[in-house]
Amino acid sequence: MVSSVKGTFDLFYPEVEKWQTIEENARKIFHLFGYTEIRTPILEHTELFVRSVGSETDIVSKEMYTFVDKKGRSLTLRPENTAPAMRSVIEHRLYELPKNQRLYYIGPQFRYERPQKGRYRQFHQIGIELINDRTPYAEFEGIIVAKELLNSLGIGQIKVKLNSVGCPECRPHYVEILRKYLLDREKELCLDCQKRISLNPLRVLDCKVPSCQKIIEEAPTIGSHLCVLCEDHLQKLREYLEESDLFYELDQRLVRGLDYYVKNVFEITSPLLGAQDAVLGGGRYDGLLKSLGGPDLPSFGWALGVERLSLIAQFGEKEKKDVYIAWLGEKGFKVALKLGFLLRGNNIPAILEGEERSLKNSLKRADKLGVNIVVIIGEDEIKGGLLTLKNLKSGEQFAVSLNEVPVFILNGLRS
């Protein structure tokens, strides 16, 4: 037997219904805020991620699935979706079309990591991108959209964490202060963080290794080193949240794992996930479009992992109106065919099978399929012109004519 690749998984009933609910809720909420969907290829030129994510990041240096194709081109399975979305915005000049300046995506990403609960090598993200808004409202709207989505899935135990990572004007000064501090404690850091000191000290603050936590907690923070513009940008966002009675926590240790972030960043966590509690994260990346050869337009976005979200989402039981059609005899099968078309024409899911079963076995079959309503078509039903509808949950039975079956079901089996 050939099994699935390590770090990947198959998704099927009933778990797939949870994912469908998450995706449906996301699409509804994004539509309310004016976002349109973008679907980018899972294959991109490797250069895209080296230029955007950063050549020294763990993603690019350790985690990407990269290969050379038959023409010698270096291609990569996308490890994240912001860079591909920005590439598409530039390539198709989407920044000129107002309707395409609010984008969302749903799809798989790929990173070579150690598989763990809620984290796989093929993982799925839902995210948004907001192009050409340099005001703090972009971040505010992004947080509101995220909270709306989480609330729609019954996730109320969340915490919004905010910080600023500065900009090209003020961040270099802080980076040097941080680097000096880390060099003094270099031997206490993990091997990866020791390398990060020279490459990008900010990445140390994102380390999850327990031995590095005390050093991170005692590290100098960026707050007192922000320029006036970055400080004002963060303060405005805080005011918007406070005016809307949205609780947040200022976390000056918070950074994002990708090099393109500037100014405000945020993360939403949930205690329901345990130690690795991040549900969703994002921030501003004003220079990204320009660095990829596009116009110098500001941008903002966030992404969440569907695998993690599905672990804590609350899925209320939906009222099912699926129907199993139980039939006896050739005449019964012909009536069942008509009923199947009639039900589906009224958007009522109907399961009809070609193998004849006894009534007892048909009811067992319907129960195994998770169907609540069975329509019985036997000799008595054909003679009397009334079909029998049975509610498997309540045990109630109703006699209904063929053409009235859809209305009767849609009305909740009320006589």
Side-chain angles (χ1 to χ4, degrees):
M1 183 190 78
V2 180
S3 61
S4 61
V5 175
K6 183 178 180 180
T8 68
F9 60 95
D10 300 308
L11 196 62
F12 42 83
Y13 179 86
E15 187 69 17
V16 73
E17 287 197 341
K18 297 179 181 179
W19 283 49
Q20 289 167 349
T21 299
I22 290 171
E23 292 168 4
E24 287 166 8
N25 286 20
R27 286 192 165 92
K28 287 177 185 175
I29 289 164
F30 295 156
H31 177 72
L32 289 175
F33 284 82
Y35 287 77
T36 61
E37 186 173 8
I38 185 169
R39 302 187 187 190
T40 62
I42 62 170
L43 267 182
E44 296 279 357
H45 291 288
T46 305
E47 179 191 8
L48 174 66
F49 302 109
V50 174
R51 291 175 59 183
S52 59
V53 176
S55 60
E56 303 301 336
T57 60
D58 286 351
I59 291 175
V60 172
S61 63
K62 298 179 181 180
E63 299 170 0
M64 293 202 312
Y65 282 93
T66 297
F67 63 94
V68 177
D69 72 2
K70 293 181 179 180
K71 289 193 174 181
R73 295 167 295 201
S74 181
L75 303 179
T76 295
L77 293 175
R78 65 185 183 202
E80 59 94 42
N81 218 1
T82 290
M86 295 301 105
R87 188 266 309 149
S88 182
V89 166
I90 296 166
E91 186 174 346
H92 304 289
R93 303 178 73 88
L94 299 183
Y95 51 82
E96 295 179 350
L97 306 170
K99 194 69 175 174
N100 283 322
Q101 291 178 7
R102 275 180 166 80
L103 303 169
Y104 75 87
Y105 58 81
I106 299 174
Q109 326 295 328
F110 304 84
R111 295 184 195 175
Y112 189 83
E113 297 182 281
R114 182 173 62 84
Q116 52 189 292
K117 186 178 180 182
R119 193 168 184 172
Y120 302 89
R121 291 176 176 174
Q122 175 178 312
F123 59 100
H124 300 74
Q125 286 188 333
I126 295 175
I128 64 170
E129 310 289 349
L130 176 52
I131 314 296
N132 204 18
D133 186 338
R134 65 181 68 256
T135 72
Y137 174 77
E139 294 96 298
F140 175 74
E141 178 178 284
I143 292 171
I144 296 298
V145 172
K147 284 178 66 70
E148 288 286 331
L149 175 55
L150 297 177
N151 288 341
S152 76
L153 296 167
I155 305 172
Q157 290 180 270
I158 59 173
K159 181 185 290 183
V160 178
K161 296 181 179 181
L162 296 182
N163 193 23
S164 174
V165 293
C167 68
E169 297 299 318
C170 60
R171 186 161 57 199
H173 177 62
Y174 168 69
V175 167
E176 287 309 310
I177 293 172
L178 179 62
R179 179 179 283 118
K180 186 176 183 303
Y181 164 80
L182 295 173
L183 282 170
D184 290 340
R185 305 188 66 173
E186 183 175 7
K187 292 181 180 178
E188 301 172 59
L189 295 168
C190 69
L191 291 176
D192 282 338
C193 283
Q194 289 178 19
K195 295 175 185 175
R196 290 166 182 154
I197 293 174
S198 60
L199 298 173
N200 188 345
L202 278 178
R203 307 196 62 72
V204 174
L205 301 180
D206 199 34
C207 182
K208 301 298 186 288
V209 176
S211 60
C212 294
Q213 293 308 301
K214 185 180 179 182
I215 296 124
I216 292 170
E217 287 172 11
E218 296 174 356
T221 59
I222 195 171
S224 57
H225 301 282
L226 294 175
C227 65
V228 174
L229 291 177
C230 287
E231 202 171 59
D232 183 62
H233 199 85
L234 177 61
Q235 184 57 33
K236 285 277 175 52
L237 174 58
R238 296 177 67 179
E239 288 173 8
Y240 294 161
L241 292 171
E242 288 163 9
E243 287 171 8
S244 302
D245 294 322
L246 292 175
F247 176 77
Y248 68 90
E249 176 186 302
L250 187 63
D251 181 359
Q252 295 200 356
R253 313 287 176 193
L254 177 65
V255 294
R256 302 300 305 153
L258 308 175
D259 282 0
Y260 49 62
Y261 283 103
V262 296
K263 295 184 179 177
N264 293 342
V265 295
F266 82 101
E267 193 171 81
I268 295 181
T269 63
S270 170
L272 299 174
L273 283 170
Q276 298 290 329
D277 59 357
V279 180
L280 176 154
R284 180 169 285 279
Y285 25 91
D286 289 350
L288 182 56
L289 275 171
K290 184 179 179 181
S291 73
L292 294 175
D296 189 10
L297 295 177
S299 47
F300 162 85
W302 57 251
L304 63 81
V306 181
E307 286 84 355
R308 279 191 171 186
L309 188 58
S310 68
L311 293 175
I312 59 174
Q314 302 298 310
F315 301 95
E317 190 174 344
K318 295 180 181 178
E319 183 188 0
K320 288 191 174 182
K321 294 184 177 177
D322 301 35
V323 175
Y324 183 85
I325 305 174
W327 56 274
L328 295 169
E330 189 175 341
K331 289 183 179 178
F333 183 65
K334 289 180 179 178
V335 175
L337 286 174
K338 292 179 182 177
L339 178 61
F341 283 114
L342 188 61
L343 289 170
R344 297 179 196 115
N346 283 275
N347 293 316
I348 300 172
I351 299 174
L352 172 61
E353 297 182 297
E355 181 182 345
E356 183 174 4
R357 291 181 169 85
S358 67
L359 178 57
K360 182 179 179 181
N361 285 337
S362 290
L363 294 176
K364 284 183 178 178
R365 177 73 170 163
D367 186 54
K368 287 181 179 179
L369 289 168
V371 174
N372 292 334
I373 304 166
V374 176
V375 179
I376 301 168
I377 309 172
E379 290 183 15
D380 291 343
E381 283 76 18
I382 292 171
K383 286 179 183 177
L386 295 174
L387 310 185
T388 300
L389 270 70
K390 184 176 180 67
N391 186 325
L392 294 186
K393 278 195 170 182
S394 66
E396 295 177 291
Q397 291 193 174
F398 307 90
V400 185
S401 66
L402 174 68
N403 291 329
E404 294 299 315
V405 170
V407 175
F408 196 77
I409 291 172
L410 292 171
N411 285 337
L413 301 185
R414 291 192 294 268
S415 56

